Amino acid sequence: MSSSVIDLLATEARFGANNYAPIGVVLSRGEGVWVWDTEGNRYLDCLSAYSAVSQGHCHPKILAAMVEQAHRLTLTSRAFHNDQLALFYQEIAALTGSHKVLPMNSGAEAVESAIKSVRKWGYEVKGVPDGQAEIIVCADNFHGRTLGVVGFSTDAETRGHFGPFAPGFRIIPFGDAAALDAAITPNTVAFLVEPIQGEAGVIIPPAGYFTEVRELCTANNVMLVLDEIQTGLGRTGKLLAEQHEGIEADVTLLGKALSGGFYPVSAVLSNNDVLGTLRPGQHGSTFGGNPLACAVARAAMRVLVEEGMIENAATQGARFLQGLKDIRANTIRDVRGRGLMLAVELHPEAGRARRYCEALQGKGILAKDTHEHTIRIAPPLVITSDQVDWALEQFATILTQDFS
Ligand SMILES: *Cc1c(COP(=O)(O)O)cnc(C)c1O
């Protein structure tokens, strides 16, 4: 490492809150699936900023839309209308088949907004007694970092010493429809769940789970809220992960790739009932729905469809998954994934996944460990067959070594 890189790392360590432990690479440029560090080394990005950069780094059409809009108008607040918001609503509703849209900024804000909305729906439409609304969530969930959200996390690091937390949440195991059935009461307003648990290590529920979940929610007048902030917008090889089971959520949360990585944009999508309960003054955000965000999101959705990225995620995801399964290595305990949301789980004796990610960096691959023993792989959806094959060669080299 050059002295200037060492200076940057030291400056970060000195002034920054120490809430991350990044891999030791300082990036300064990106294009498509590639990123470059300050010393000119090139890496294939197998994290895509946790799926926010699905369209590839610095996509030229999203960039052009952002620059063009930034020259015209960036922020009006919702005190006034702007000429991008209606078009954003129209296009996201057409893409996803939703009736109503609430624009926010970060993913966690979308989750918070959904919680507020389904509670309000519960009191005003379902008839739950005031203050009694219950929301069911899953163990090992990840829905963001705000106080409301970490309060129903089951991860000790995420919750530890941040309480007291808001009541009104019940936690059940993920992938267990009988547990949902047992947890529903007359006061249950919603079931909030990820279609595939990403941060937990790309945990895919048993086939048929979401069909049963949908039936239980419908039968009990419980809103099914799918957090598709990571799985949505093509990541799993379909526009929305719910389509793998042919179901429709009542409320869908999008974020991350909604801006192609240019700017924080999130959205709550719902049927008429849930978002229809919000009245002027009851919820808001200074930046939510601003013209710059809308222009960026419109371009991000357009290139996803026009450039065939969703189909590419299905094709290259299948190729990547098969290639990983074909690697014969004693270190590997399990390989799983859907579309380009993939994971390699290592045997505990093989050593920590972090060591493998550091070794992969030396081979020109940036990937991220999760939960000690799992390497998560989520490249931009624009990856080509040749790039997948090259990546597989690097994975094969590293996974057949022992870093215990
Ligand atoms: C990333 C993520 C969030 C939180 O998004 P932020 O933009 O970081 O607030 C919520 N839910 C899921 C499933 C996520 O992957």
Side-chain angles (χ1 to χ4, degrees):
M1 265 189 237
S2 68
S3 58
S4 66
V5 170
I6 292 169
D7 284 350
L8 288 174
L9 297 180
T11 305
E12 271 194 31
R14 178 164 170 218
F15 293 108
N18 193 23
N19 56 331
Y20 277 93
I23 295 213
V25 60
V26 180
L27 301 175
S28 60
R29 189 162 74 84
E31 187 184 326
V33 297
W34 303 106
V35 285
W36 285 263
D37 67 16
T38 48
E39 293 169 323
N41 300 307
R42 188 180 78 162
Y43 306 91
L44 198 154
D45 183 357
C46 278
L47 183 64
S48 311
Y50 301 93
S51 295
V53 193
S54 283
Q55 294 88 336
H57 287 275
C58 297
H59 191 291
K61 290 186 177 161
I62 311 176
L63 174 64
M66 183 169 190
V67 170
E68 197 271 331
Q69 185 62 43
H71 279 287
R72 284 203 295 126
L73 185 66
T74 55
L75 182 62
T76 55
S77 84
R78 296 288 303 279
F80 311 109
H81 296 276
N82 72 70
D83 68 359
Q84 290 294 308
L85 184 60
L87 301 174
F88 168 69
Y89 283 166
Q90 198 170 36
E91 288 165 16
I92 196 171
L95 182 69
T96 60
S98 305
H99 301 121
K100 285 221 172 277
V101 186
L102 173 68
M104 298 298 288
N105 311 285
S106 69
E109 274 183 310
V111 177
E112 291 273 348
S113 304
I115 291 169
K116 288 174 72 177
S117 306
V118 293
R119 282 181 172 173
K120 205 158 192 304
W121 169 85
Y123 300 128
E124 296 176 10
V125 179
K126 183 167 178 172
V128 172
D130 195 31
Q132 304 291 306
E134 290 171 355
I135 295 173
I136 300 172
V137 298
C138 286
D140 301 320
N141 68 71
F142 183 84
H143 298 289
R145 298 292 194 170
T146 55
L147 202 47
V149 169
V150 301
F152 56 83
S153 169
T154 57
D155 180 53
E157 296 263 57
T158 301
R159 287 170 59 88
H161 284 180
F162 292 124
F165 300 116
F169 298 94
R170 277 182 183 233
I171 298 167
I172 61 169
F174 181 64
D176 182 347
L180 175 63
D181 195 13
I184 291 173
T185 74
N187 291 342
T188 305
V189 296
F191 178 41
L192 167 64
V193 62
E194 299 155 83
I196 294 172
Q197 288 190 323
E199 300 310 294
V202 187
I203 309 299
I204 302 172
Y209 173 62
F210 276 105
T211 309
E212 277 187 75
V213 164
R214 178 66 275 180
E215 284 166 9
L216 286 168
C217 288
T218 304
N220 293 283
N221 197 20
V222 167
M223 291 295 111
L224 174 56
V225 183
L226 285 185
D227 180 347
E228 296 240 25
I229 291 167
Q230 192 163 144
T231 55
L233 298 172
R235 175 53 56 189
T236 69
K238 302 254 190 214
L239 176 75
L240 298 173
E242 66 175 16
Q243 295 170 314
H244 289 288
E245 281 209 36
I247 62 147
E248 273 185 41
D250 300 297
V251 179
T252 301
L253 309 180
L254 293 179
K256 296 203 164 109
L258 189 50
S259 69
F262 278 83
Y263 189 92
V265 187
S266 67
V268 181
L269 309 172
S270 91
N271 54 26
N272 283 313
D273 275 4
V274 172
L275 287 176
T277 60
L278 294 177
R279 294 274 151 266
Q282 295 175 345
H283 187 64
S285 159
T286 304
F287 279 84
N290 75 70
L292 187 60
C294 291
V296 166
R298 292 178 62 209
M301 290 188 285
R302 197 156 53 238
V303 300
L304 199 68
V305 174
E306 281 180 3
E307 297 179 18
M309 293 181 195
I310 303 170
E311 298 77 12
N312 194 57
T315 312
Q316 301 304 341
R319 186 183 188 94
F320 216 137
L321 183 63
Q322 190 55 52
L324 289 169
K325 284 184 171 163
D326 288 343
I327 297 173
R328 291 279 152 263
N330 296 331
T331 53
I332 302 177
R333 181 180 192 175
D334 187 32
V335 169
R336 54 183 175 262
R338 190 163 279 166
L340 282 168
M341 188 168 179
L342 302 154
V344 175
E345 186 178 334
L346 304 169
H347 280 292
E349 316 83 72
R352 291 169 55 229
R354 170 82 180 202
R355 292 284 295 108
Y356 290 81
C357 291
E358 286 164 357
L360 283 163
Q361 183 200 339
K363 292 279 171 195
I365 300 259
L366 293 183
K368 177 73 172 77
D369 53 299
T370 177
H371 290 269
E372 287 284 301
H373 301 299
T374 302
I375 306 169
R376 162 226 309 262
I377 305 167
L381 309 186
V382 296
I383 196 168
T384 64
S385 301
D386 286 350
Q387 290 163 347
V388 168
D389 294 348
W390 178 81
L392 284 166
E393 281 171 37
Q394 315 316 313
F395 276 99
T397 305
I398 298 303
L399 290 169
T400 46
Q401 295 176 32
D402 189 338
F403 294 101
S404 60

